[in-house]
Amino acid sequence: HLQLLLSPRTVIFHLLSTLPVLVIPLALSSIGLCVSEDVPVTQRLEFLESLLKKVTSHTEAKIKIMSKIGSLKIDHGQIDEIEDMIKSLESLVDSLGEVTPVHGCFYELSAKYYKVKGDYNNFYRDSLRYLGCIDIDELTAKQQQEHAFHIALSALLGDKVYNFGELLAHPLLDALKVACPWIVELLLAFNRGDMDKLEELQPQWTQQPDLARNEVALKQKCALLGLMELTFNRASSSRSISFKEVAAAVKLPVEEVELLVMKAISLNLVRGSIDECEEVVNLTWVQPRVLDLKQIAEMNKRIKQWGAAVEKTVKEVEEKIPELLCN
């Protein structure tokens, strides 16, 4: 009988030399990535780069392998090379047109890179995109908790993130409701712009170093979200709000309200004008957000009020028609 004396490494290189003619590139990339887990760490990068050369004609296979190479380089501290790689990968991903399974590979790499760089805004964006490309049940409970916690942190710390609805509606957040419930409560408080809840949870969130270091910025962000919520909850016909009302809603001194509104306008969170003499802000628009059930209920209530007002106006016009015709 035949006895195989091939070492695992010999088998790997045998696969590399023979499979390209037998297997389509996308399948080859999947097999190669699985095999790479058994390659010694010091040789894994070389192995993947050799594999990449064999699938250059297939965009999806190329994206999968390049994403894995990028992830390994981040692990090895070769961060400077990743930015250009992400730009190249982004062009390849865009060329696919529709969302494919390899989009998740790219967004996983991109999120990992932005996490290492401390770029909260882009990490939050690409992490949500990554979650949209995978089945979260494929992640272990620990992985789900880690992903959820870091995405929650980036949502709170990102200076361009003022929309928490997509994260709050994602089932991944369930992983934190038992393991770390205070951060879920904190996200809900920010989504409502609830300064009282922020103060109530302060003993918990100040134990987290990144949040503690950004205490002032977090309080300002919550105040900005409070202004957005106040504007959203007002009918479009009654959005002239006094400085005192704003101050009471966001728990700030009246003299700081004008600066807060100017900041909100500069970030395009709201639009309107400030009347310094009358100490009133006239807000005409608030940035659209993904709404939670409570906010949807509030919008439904206002739509019904608007419908009733329109119906009343129609009736008044109908009653006036005979009089108008006579004149």
Side-chain angles (χ1 to χ4, degrees):
H1 53 259
L2 188 63
Q3 193 172 26
L4 292 177
L5 300 175
L6 296 175
S7 68
R9 187 177 179 190
T10 304
V11 173
I12 290 167
F13 283 101
H14 178 69
L15 286 171
L16 277 174
S17 61
T18 59
L19 280 179
V21 298
L22 303 174
V23 183
I24 60 173
L26 187 57
L28 176 63
S29 67
S30 298
I31 294 169
L33 290 175
C34 290
V35 171
S36 71
E37 297 301 317
D38 294 323
V39 176
V41 175
T42 55
Q43 299 169 2
R44 196 171 297 167
L45 202 55
E46 178 187 351
F47 169 78
L48 289 171
E49 287 172 344
S50 298
L51 186 62
L52 179 62
K53 293 175 183 177
K54 299 180 182 298
V55 298
T56 51
S57 62
H58 194 283
T59 303
E60 291 182 50
K62 191 175 178 181
I63 291 169
K64 284 185 75 170
I65 297 171
M66 285 181 69
S67 297
K68 184 63 176 178
I69 289 172
S71 182
L72 284 174
K73 286 188 173 182
I74 291 174
D75 293 340
H76 294 164
Q78 300 171 18
I79 306 298
D80 295 338
E81 302 176 29
I82 304 303
E83 187 172 357
D84 290 337
M85 179 181 281
I86 285 178
K87 289 178 181 177
S88 299
L89 279 168
E90 190 168 17
S91 299
L92 291 173
V93 168
D94 290 343
S95 72
L96 295 175
E98 59 183 6
V99 177
T100 67
V102 301
H103 277 67
C105 301
F106 167 66
Y107 291 130
E108 183 179 21
L109 168 66
S110 183
K112 185 175 183 177
Y113 170 70
Y114 290 125
K115 180 182 174 183
V116 171
K117 295 288 286 185
D119 186 334
Y120 301 117
N121 299 309
N122 284 321
F123 173 77
Y124 179 73
R125 180 198 65 195
D126 285 353
S127 291
L128 288 179
R129 288 175 174 176
Y130 167 64
L131 292 176
C133 297
I134 66 165
D135 179 357
I136 65 167
D137 290 334
E138 295 175 1
L139 302 174
T140 65
K142 184 179 179 182
Q143 286 174 326
Q144 289 185 27
Q145 288 174 13
E146 288 176 352
H147 277 296
F149 185 78
H150 288 122
I151 296 170
L153 276 185
S154 66
L156 295 167
L157 294 168
D159 60 4
K160 295 179 182 176
V161 180
Y162 288 90
N163 189 344
F164 295 78
E166 188 176 354
L167 175 58
L168 289 170
H170 202 286
L172 183 74
L173 211 61
D174 292 340
L176 286 181
K177 288 180 179 177
V178 174
C180 194
W182 66 263
I183 201 166
V184 179
E185 291 183 52
L186 191 60
L187 285 170
L188 290 167
F190 268 76
N191 194 53
R192 298 189 301 267
D194 188 341
M195 296 294 289
D196 288 331
K197 192 66 176 179
L198 177 66
E199 294 293 334
E200 180 186 325
L201 293 169
Q202 188 161 347
Q204 284 97 340
W205 62 261
T206 49
Q207 296 299 309
Q208 207 289 324
D210 292 321
L211 296 178
R213 279 196 301 271
N214 290 275
E215 181 177 343
V216 174
L218 286 169
K219 288 182 176 179
Q220 184 185 65
K221 182 172 180 173
C222 193
L224 287 166
L225 284 158
L227 176 64
M228 291 176 71
E229 187 72 6
L230 177 65
T231 308
F232 173 79
N233 289 330
R234 300 288 287 259
S236 57
S237 58
S238 61
R239 285 186 175 169
S240 293
I241 311 171
S242 70
F243 282 18
K244 287 183 179 180
E245 285 182 84
V246 175
V250 299
K251 304 296 185 277
L252 284 178
V254 173
E255 55 270 21
E256 293 183 23
V257 167
E258 186 176 357
L259 286 174
L260 180 75
V261 176
M262 289 171 66
K263 177 78 171 177
I265 292 173
S266 72
L267 291 171
N268 201 35
L269 302 178
V270 297
R271 293 176 191 163
S273 58
I274 302 172
D275 187 333
E276 293 181 72
C277 297
E278 297 295 329
E279 293 194 336
V280 168
V281 293
N282 301 295
L283 301 175
T284 57
W285 177 88
V286 61
Q287 187 184 92
R289 295 187 290 165
V290 177
L291 306 179
D292 60 25
L293 292 176
K294 184 178 178 181
Q295 291 166 327
I296 292 171
E298 177 63 28
M299 178 167 279
N300 181 51
K301 176 183 173 183
R302 282 165 42 201
I303 289 173
K304 288 179 178 178
Q305 290 174 342
W306 175 80
V310 170
E311 189 176 348
K312 181 181 177 182
T313 302
V314 168
K315 287 181 179 178
E316 288 176 353
V317 171
E318 287 174 345
E319 289 172 0
K320 294 285 184 181
I321 286 176
E323 183 181 335
L324 292 171
L325 291 174
C326 292
N327 292 335

